[in-house]
Amino acid sequence: FEAAKEAVKEFSKEAIAAAKATMALEQQQIALDDANRELAVVFAQSRAQIAKLNMIADDSTKSIEERIQATRDAAEIEQALAEQREANALIQVAILEDELAMFGETPDLLQKIADAQVVALAAQEETAGVQTGLITKVNGLLAEQQALIDEGIASTKEQLQNLIDAQAEIDNVFKTY
């Protein structure tokens, strides 16, 4: 009778521990779902801000410095969004892996884990793409700036040569008198 009593007691402890762990997982999932909803709103708001910054970056009437700064600001926002999506996806993977450890393998759970890993990897790829895009756009703007400088130097050289030629003509006129 004592052995049965101890077994029931031990089973009760394990059931309580499992229930607490399940509740903790559910709370983590609820918090993640809330974070994903908030991120969706921030994402929509940020897309509008990024579009405005990209308009500045592409506006040839703006200074190169303004355009580079707008490009960097847009990339910074994009980077933060991608990093948050990646972090949320990795949290989802961790929650699902905890669930796997608690309840065992099921095809549905394995698929959810794979899907969450794909989302995390896609966010990592997006982060790399944002950085590549930033580098490309900034390098293009710097090349444009260098071309303007080179054009200014060439124009200044030409003007200087014209002044030298004009001075030589003036000097020749005065030499004849």
Side-chain angles (χ1 to χ4, degrees):
F1 182 71
E2 279 300 312
K5 185 178 169 183
E6 277 303 310
V8 169
K9 204 178 203 183
E10 187 61 32
F11 176 76
S12 294
K13 285 181 185 178
E14 289 176 12
I16 289 170
K20 285 182 180 178
T22 300
M23 287 174 41
L25 276 178
E26 287 177 11
Q27 290 301 317
Q28 289 175 354
Q29 187 64 54
I30 289 168
L32 179 60
D33 291 344
D34 290 345
N36 281 331
R37 271 192 299 282
E38 289 174 26
L39 181 59
V41 172
V42 169
F43 183 81
Q45 292 168 339
S46 296
R47 296 307 304 161
Q49 187 178 4
I50 290 166
K52 288 178 186 175
L53 289 167
N54 283 333
M55 282 177 33
I56 293 168
D58 294 336
D59 185 348
S60 61
T61 65
K62 303 285 185 191
S63 72
I64 297 292
E65 291 79 15
E66 281 181 281
R67 295 171 67 194
I68 289 172
Q69 189 59 51
T71 299
R72 287 185 173 143
D73 291 348
E76 206 173 280
I77 294 167
E78 291 265 15
Q79 184 73 26
L81 290 171
E83 286 173 2
Q84 189 58 55
R85 281 195 300 278
E86 179 183 358
N88 287 4
L90 291 173
I91 290 169
Q92 183 68 63
V93 169
I95 290 170
L96 293 168
E97 287 175 344
D98 287 348
E99 192 176 320
L100 178 72
M102 285 177 58
F103 303 115
E105 247 180 52
T106 67
D108 185 51
L109 187 54
L110 291 175
Q111 185 61 52
K112 285 180 182 178
I113 291 171
D115 292 344
Q117 290 171 332
V118 167
V119 170
L121 291 170
Q124 289 172 356
E125 182 182 341
E126 183 180 350
T127 299
V130 166
Q131 289 305 308
T132 301
L134 167 67
I135 291 167
T136 300
K137 195 162 195 170
V138 169
N139 284 343
L141 289 168
L142 290 173
E144 185 179 328
Q145 184 178 39
Q146 187 61 49
L148 290 171
I149 290 169
D150 292 347
E151 193 177 296
I153 290 171
S155 174
T156 302
K157 283 182 179 178
E158 184 180 329
Q159 290 172 359
L160 185 57
Q161 187 59 52
N162 289 341
L163 288 173
I164 291 170
D165 292 346
Q167 184 63 48
E169 286 180 31
I170 292 170
D171 289 347
N172 280 339
V173 168
F174 282 114
K175 281 183 187 178
T176 56
Y177 289 107

